Amino acid sequence: MRVLAFNSSPRMKKGVTDKILQTFLAGAESAGADIDMVYLTKKKIKFCSGCFNCWFVHPGKCIHDDDMLEIRQQIKAADIIVFGSPVYFDGFTAQMKVMLDRLISGGMPFIELREGHSRHPSRGKEVKIRKMLLISTCGFGEKDNFEPIIHHMKAIAKNFATGEYMGALVRPVGSALEMMQDKNPEGVQAVLDAFHQAGVEAVTKGSISEELQEAVSAPLISMKEFVKRANVKFHELIAENSSN
Ligand SMILES: Cc1cc2nc3c(=O)[nH]c(=O)nc-3n(C[C@H](O)[C@H](O)[C@H](O)COP(=O)(O)O)c2cc1C
């Protein structure tokens, strides 16, 4: 079983996305999976130019010669694809979106009805289904901040002839994983354990229980305390930098 994860945070290894993705992948690896992480920020991926050359001129081949060639091979080989992204303006980061748009060359122009909905068929003849999982974090405290990105993830999985939505592991107030280490170490550990166990379940069961999907989002701080602490920190940071 191959698990391929994309980390689309520009903060890469310094970010919360990395922490939760790595914890999930460690769980998947402990259950016997081959794992791979792609830092999209490090990759050379040009914007889709919308020319449709990959459909009508050189079928399956993009006009851009860049790191998408390798990424498409990695996607082909994967059984589970993890889309790791912080919430940026209620959706995926630009790094993730640029990569997603370039996957258009893997489809064909023809239109078919799948479950009564118009879709493009996949270019490849293979029937292997790849499970698609969202792992995300955000700055605000409410879980509803993930509604648009989850909706988008589900739609993407339906669009792929060979895709299947696997679920979403979302962590509100990502900063709390560090900020609450002193005050609520058990809570932080329980969240990280849930990400790890989700990696195990994804590999051993091919799905992630609702309980684990809930557990990774467990509140680590009250909303009142979060707003207070965050604003104090922001005032401090601004003051620190203005005195330099
Ligand atoms: C450009 C930008 C847009 C953001 N938009 C949102 C948002 O819409 N909602 C939210 O809760 N957090 C938002 N955030 C906060 C990030 O989701 C948060 O800082 C997250 O922890 C970053 O993940 P990382 O540490 O992996 O980079 C935004 C941050 C940036 C830089």
Side-chain angles (χ1 to χ4, degrees):
M1 155 107 34
R2 261 184 189 282
V3 181
L4 171 67
F6 291 109
N7 182 342
S8 72
S9 163
R11 300 177 68 219
M12 294 195 274
K13 292 190 177 173
K14 291 187 190 143
V16 179
T17 307
D18 202 58
K19 191 177 180 76
I20 56 182
L21 272 177
Q22 294 286 8
T23 310
F24 172 88
L25 287 178
E29 194 170 33
S30 75
D34 289 325
I35 56 161
D36 206 357
M37 175 90 99
V38 175
Y39 291 92
L40 288 173
T41 301
K42 281 203 257 180
K43 297 291 172 189
K44 287 196 174 63
I45 307 175
K46 295 201 179 113
F47 296 128
C48 171
S49 59
C51 63
F52 289 113
N53 265 43
C54 64
W55 278 7
F56 304 114
V57 183
H58 299 293
K61 195 174 175 333
C62 181
I63 55 160
H64 301 305
D65 181 10
D66 58 17
D67 289 340
M68 275 311 288
L69 279 172
E70 185 195 356
I71 287 176
R72 277 186 63 187
Q73 291 309 317
Q74 287 174 298
I75 288 177
K76 250 188 173 167
D79 300 289
I80 297 175
I81 307 173
V82 185
F83 296 81
S85 179
V87 173
Y88 270 21
F89 282 98
D90 302 300
F92 285 106
T93 59
Q95 285 87 336
M96 184 68 85
K97 189 62 172 61
V98 171
M99 189 278 289
L100 285 166
D101 288 352
R102 289 285 304 282
L103 296 178
I104 190 97
S105 58
M108 294 204 280
F110 312 107
I111 297 172
E112 62 185 13
L113 290 177
R114 286 207 301 270
E115 291 167 13
H117 197 292
S118 40
R119 311 273 180 203
H120 297 296
S122 175
R123 184 164 297 282
K125 289 199 173 51
E126 52 163 8
V127 285
K128 174 176 163 185
I129 297 295
R130 289 174 194 85
K131 303 212 170 173
M132 297 181 163
L133 174 70
L134 172 71
I135 293 191
S136 184
T137 185
C138 77
F140 290 151
E142 303 81 5
K143 212 176 158 185
D144 65 13
N145 288 289
F146 295 100
E147 282 172 9
I149 197 171
I150 291 174
H151 191 78
H152 195 176
M153 185 75 255
K154 286 181 179 169
I156 289 166
K158 274 195 183 150
N159 255 324
F160 275 79
T162 54
E164 184 185 298
Y165 178 71
M166 194 187 203
L169 301 172
V170 298
R171 178 63 243 164
V173 201
S175 58
L177 289 178
E178 222 172 279
M179 188 174 39
M180 298 308 283
Q181 268 299 353
D182 294 346
K183 254 192 137 180
N184 186 5
E186 298 85 9
V188 171
Q189 195 51 50
V191 165
L192 293 175
D193 288 348
F195 274 107
H196 190 276
Q197 189 55 27
V200 173
E201 275 196 9
V203 173
T204 55
K205 298 187 179 165
S207 62
I208 300 167
S209 67
E210 287 297 324
E211 290 76 27
L212 280 179
Q213 293 188 54
E214 279 297 315
V216 298
S217 305
L220 292 171
I221 183 171
S222 75
M223 289 301 291
K224 242 179 146 175
E225 179 75 4
F226 157 60
V227 171
K228 199 171 119 195
R229 276 182 175 235
N231 288 334
V232 167
K233 182 84 189 156
F234 297 149
H235 280 300
E236 280 172 7
L237 282 172
I238 292 165
E240 249 174 63
N241 286 303
S242 63
S243 61
N244 291 338

mmCIF file of all heavy atoms in Angstrom, residues 177-193:
data_model
loop_
_atom_site.group_PDB
_atom_site.id
_atom_site.type_symbol
_atom_site.label_atom_id
_atom_site.label_comp_id
_atom_site.label_asym_id
_atom_site.label_seq_id
_atom_site.Cartn_x
_atom_site.Cartn_y
_atom_site.Cartn_z
ATOM 1 N N LEU A 177 -1.602 23.493 19.109
ATOM 2 C CA LEU A 177 -0.800 22.283 19.333
ATOM 3 C C LEU A 177 0.513 22.640 20.028
ATOM 4 O O LEU A 177 1.060 21.849 20.785
ATOM 5 C CB LEU A 177 -0.512 21.568 18.006
ATOM 6 C CG LEU A 177 -1.706 20.878 17.340
ATOM 7 C CD1 LEU A 177 -1.293 20.242 16.018
ATOM 8 C CD2 LEU A 177 -2.322 19.829 18.254
ATOM 9 N N GLU A 178 1.008 23.860 19.764
ATOM 10 C CA GLU A 178 2.224 24.303 20.446
ATOM 11 C C GLU A 178 1.880 25.137 21.680
ATOM 12 O O GLU A 178 2.404 24.926 22.764
ATOM 13 C CB GLU A 178 3.080 25.112 19.485
ATOM 14 C CG GLU A 178 4.545 24.745 19.644
ATOM 15 C CD GLU A 178 5.364 25.390 18.563
ATOM 16 O OE1 GLU A 178 5.390 24.833 17.451
ATOM 17 O OE2 GLU A 178 5.941 26.455 18.856
ATOM 18 N N MET A 179 0.940 26.074 21.462
ATOM 19 C CA MET A 179 0.579 27.038 22.524
ATOM 20 C C MET A 179 0.076 26.329 23.789
ATOM 21 O O MET A 179 0.297 26.784 24.895
ATOM 22 C CB MET A 179 -0.518 27.945 21.960
ATOM 23 C CG MET A 179 -0.892 29.099 22.821
ATOM 24 S SD MET A 179 -2.069 30.218 22.030
ATOM 25 C CE MET A 179 -3.216 29.224 21.153
ATOM 26 N N MET A 180 -0.602 25.179 23.618
ATOM 27 C CA MET A 180 -1.216 24.509 24.765
ATOM 28 C C MET A 180 -0.381 23.356 25.327
ATOM 29 O O MET A 180 -0.855 22.609 26.184
ATOM 30 C CB MET A 180 -2.625 24.012 24.385
ATOM 31 C CG MET A 180 -3.596 25.102 24.011
ATOM 32 S SD MET A 180 -3.713 26.418 25.252
ATOM 33 C CE MET A 180 -4.723 25.599 26.485
ATOM 34 N N GLN A 181 0.853 23.250 24.848
ATOM 35 C CA GLN A 181 1.739 22.179 25.351
ATOM 36 C C GLN A 181 1.889 22.243 26.860
ATOM 37 O O GLN A 181 1.872 21.219 27.534
ATOM 38 C CB GLN A 181 3.144 22.314 24.728
ATOM 39 C CG GLN A 181 3.388 21.541 23.470
ATOM 40 C CD GLN A 181 3.242 20.026 23.610
ATOM 41 O OE1 GLN A 181 3.067 19.475 24.693
ATOM 42 N NE2 GLN A 181 3.279 19.350 22.477
ATOM 43 N N ASP A 182 2.017 23.471 27.411
ATOM 44 C CA ASP A 182 2.216 23.615 28.856
ATOM 45 C C ASP A 182 0.927 23.412 29.630
ATOM 46 O O ASP A 182 0.893 22.749 30.650
ATOM 47 C CB ASP A 182 2.731 25.035 29.175
ATOM 48 C CG ASP A 182 4.114 25.235 28.603
ATOM 49 O OD1 ASP A 182 4.720 24.213 28.228
ATOM 50 O OD2 ASP A 182 4.569 26.394 28.517
ATOM 51 N N LYS A 183 -0.162 24.059 29.119
ATOM 52 C CA LYS A 183 -1.415 24.079 29.887
ATOM 53 C C LYS A 183 -2.263 22.821 29.727
ATOM 54 O O LYS A 183 -3.008 22.460 30.628
ATOM 55 C CB LYS A 183 -2.255 25.292 29.435
ATOM 56 C CG LYS A 183 -2.261 26.399 30.471
ATOM 57 C CD LYS A 183 -3.320 27.407 30.113
ATOM 58 C CE LYS A 183 -4.097 27.838 31.342
ATOM 59 N NZ LYS A 183 -5.128 28.809 31.007
ATOM 60 N N ASN A 184 -2.181 22.192 28.564
ATOM 61 C CA ASN A 184 -3.050 21.038 28.296
ATOM 62 C C ASN A 184 -2.282 19.950 27.532
ATOM 63 O O ASN A 184 -2.669 19.567 26.414
ATOM 64 C CB ASN A 184 -4.277 21.521 27.496
ATOM 65 C CG ASN A 184 -5.305 20.430 27.286
ATOM 66 O OD1 ASN A 184 -5.164 19.326 27.804
ATOM 67 N ND2 ASN A 184 -6.346 20.732 26.513
ATOM 68 N N PRO A 185 -1.175 19.452 28.127
ATOM 69 C CA PRO A 185 -0.347 18.474 27.388
ATOM 70 C C PRO A 185 -1.100 17.191 27.040
ATOM 71 O O PRO A 185 -0.882 16.614 25.965
ATOM 72 C CB PRO A 185 0.824 18.193 28.332
ATOM 73 C CG PRO A 185 0.405 18.661 29.676
ATOM 74 C CD PRO A 185 -0.637 19.734 29.473
ATOM 75 N N GLU A 186 -2.027 16.769 27.924
ATOM 76 C CA GLU A 186 -2.762 15.525 27.629
ATOM 77 C C GLU A 186 -3.669 15.726 26.417
ATOM 78 O O GLU A 186 -3.790 14.845 25.570
ATOM 79 C CB GLU A 186 -3.646 15.085 28.816
ATOM 80 C CG GLU A 186 -2.905 14.767 30.091
ATOM 81 C CD GLU A 186 -2.642 16.018 30.938
ATOM 82 O OE1 GLU A 186 -3.196 17.099 30.611
ATOM 83 O OE2 GLU A 186 -1.877 15.904 31.909
ATOM 84 N N GLY A 187 -4.302 16.914 26.364
ATOM 85 C CA GLY A 187 -5.200 17.213 25.242
ATOM 86 C C GLY A 187 -4.423 17.220 23.929
ATOM 87 O O GLY A 187 -4.870 16.640 22.930
ATOM 88 N N VAL A 188 -3.255 17.875 23.940
ATOM 89 C CA VAL A 188 -2.434 17.947 22.721
ATOM 90 C C VAL A 188 -2.013 16.537 22.304
ATOM 91 O O VAL A 188 -2.114 16.166 21.128
ATOM 92 C CB VAL A 188 -1.184 18.849 22.949
ATOM 93 C CG1 VAL A 188 -0.224 18.751 21.771
ATOM 94 C CG2 VAL A 188 -1.606 20.302 23.184
ATOM 95 N N GLN A 189 -1.591 15.752 23.288
ATOM 96 C CA GLN A 189 -1.142 14.386 22.964
ATOM 97 C C GLN A 189 -2.285 13.550 22.398
ATOM 98 O O GLN A 189 -2.094 12.784 21.446
ATOM 99 C CB GLN A 189 -0.540 13.718 24.220
ATOM 100 C CG GLN A 189 0.277 12.467 23.921
ATOM 101 C CD GLN A 189 1.349 12.683 22.833
ATOM 102 O OE1 GLN A 189 2.129 13.644 22.909
ATOM 103 N NE2 GLN A 189 1.378 11.844 21.799
ATOM 104 N N ALA A 190 -3.498 13.742 22.966
ATOM 105 C CA ALA A 190 -4.656 12.963 22.480
ATOM 106 C C ALA A 190 -4.943 13.306 21.014
ATOM 107 O O ALA A 190 -5.286 12.418 20.210
ATOM 108 C CB ALA A 190 -5.877 13.238 23.352
ATOM 109 N N VAL A 191 -4.794 14.580 20.660
ATOM 110 C CA VAL A 191 -5.029 14.984 19.265
ATOM 111 C C VAL A 191 -3.975 14.337 18.357
ATOM 112 O O VAL A 191 -4.304 13.764 17.305
ATOM 113 C CB VAL A 191 -5.001 16.527 19.134
ATOM 114 C CG1 VAL A 191 -4.881 16.954 17.676
ATOM 115 C CG2 VAL A 191 -6.252 17.136 19.763
ATOM 116 N N LEU A 192 -2.721 14.392 18.772
ATOM 117 C CA LEU A 192 -1.655 13.814 17.944
ATOM 118 C C LEU A 192 -1.809 12.289 17.846
ATOM 119 O O LEU A 192 -1.622 11.710 16.770
ATOM 120 C CB LEU A 192 -0.272 14.188 18.496
ATOM 121 C CG LEU A 192 0.053 15.689 18.387
ATOM 122 C CD1 LEU A 192 1.389 16.006 19.060
ATOM 123 C CD2 LEU A 192 0.074 16.167 16.925
ATOM 124 N N ASP A 193 -2.208 11.669 18.937
ATOM 125 C CA ASP A 193 -2.441 10.213 18.909
ATOM 126 C C ASP A 193 -3.547 9.874 17.918
ATOM 127 O O ASP A 193 -3.484 8.841 17.237
ATOM 128 C CB ASP A 193 -2.836 9.694 20.309
ATOM 129 C CG ASP A 193 -1.656 9.704 21.272
ATOM 130 O OD1 ASP A 193 -0.500 9.881 20.815
ATOM 131 O OD2 ASP A 193 -1.883 9.551 22.488
#
